[in-house]
Amino acid sequence: MEARDVFEALQLAVSPVILISAYGLLLLTMTNRLGRAIDRARLLVREGATKEDQIAIITRRAGWIRSAIVFTSLALLAAALLVLVLFASIYLPVDTAPIVAVLFIGSVVSLVIGLAYFLVDIFGSLHAMQAE
C-alpha cells in the first residue's frame, strides 16, 4: 500500500463527509422544531383542556418531525458508513462498489423521505395556525 492509495481514498471520502455535515445541520433544525412543538403542547396542556384540538395537531406534527429525524438520521448513518467503506476499500481486497452504491442510494432515499416528512410538518404548522 502506498501513500497515493491513502490520498485517493481520502479524496473519495470527502463528498460523503460534506453530506454528513449537511445532514447534521438538517437534524439540528428538525430537533429544534420538535422541541418547539413539544414546548407549545406543554403550554397548551397547562392552560387547560379547552384546546384539545390544538394539542392533537401538535402531537401529529411532532410525529411527523420525529419521522423526519429518524429518516435523516438513517441518511446520516449511511453516509458515515459510506466514508468507512470508502476508506477501508484501500485495505480490503474486496470489490466495494456494490456496497458503496447501496449506501449512497440508501442515504439519499432516506434523506428524501425525511425531507418529505419535514415538508408535511411545515404544511401542518399552517393548519395549526388556522386552528388558533
Side-chain angles (χ1 to χ4, degrees), residues 106-126:
S107 179
V108 173
V109 167
S110 292
L111 177 65
V112 168
I113 294 170
L115 289 174
Y117 275 112
F118 193 61
L119 285 173
V120 168
D121 169 60
I122 298 294
F123 290 115
S125 67
L126 295 176

Side-chain angles (χ1 to χ4, degrees), residues 6 18 22 26-27 29 35 38 46-47 63 68 71 73-74 80 86-87 90 106 116:
V6 175
I18 292 169
L26 279 171
L27 282 171
T29 302
I38 290 170
R46 276 189 233 127
E47 289 178 0
F71 281 101
S73 296
L74 289 174
L86 286 172
F87 197 78
I90 63 170

Side-chain angles (χ1 to χ4, degrees), residues 23 26-35 62-76 110 113-115 117-118:
Y23 293 169
L26 279 171
L27 282 171
L28 179 64
T29 302
M30 291 175 184
T31 55
N32 285 339
R33 193 163 177 89
L34 179 61
W64 294 330
I65 298 169
R66 181 189 62 214
S67 295
I69 290 170
V70 166
F71 281 101
T72 305
S73 296
L74 289 174
L76 178 64
S110 292
I113 294 170
L115 289 174
Y117 275 112
F118 193 61

Side-chain angles (χ1 to χ4, degrees), residues 29-62:
T29 302
M30 291 175 184
T31 55
N32 285 339
R33 193 163 177 89
L34 179 61
R36 292 191 67 187
I38 290 170
D39 290 343
R40 177 73 176 142
R42 287 179 179 154
L43 179 67
L44 289 172
V45 167
R46 276 189 233 127
E47 289 178 0
T50 59
K51 301 184 180 190
E52 290 178 15
D53 57 336
Q54 291 181 26
I55 294 170
I57 291 169
I58 292 172
T59 302
R60 192 170 345 128
R61 286 185 52 218

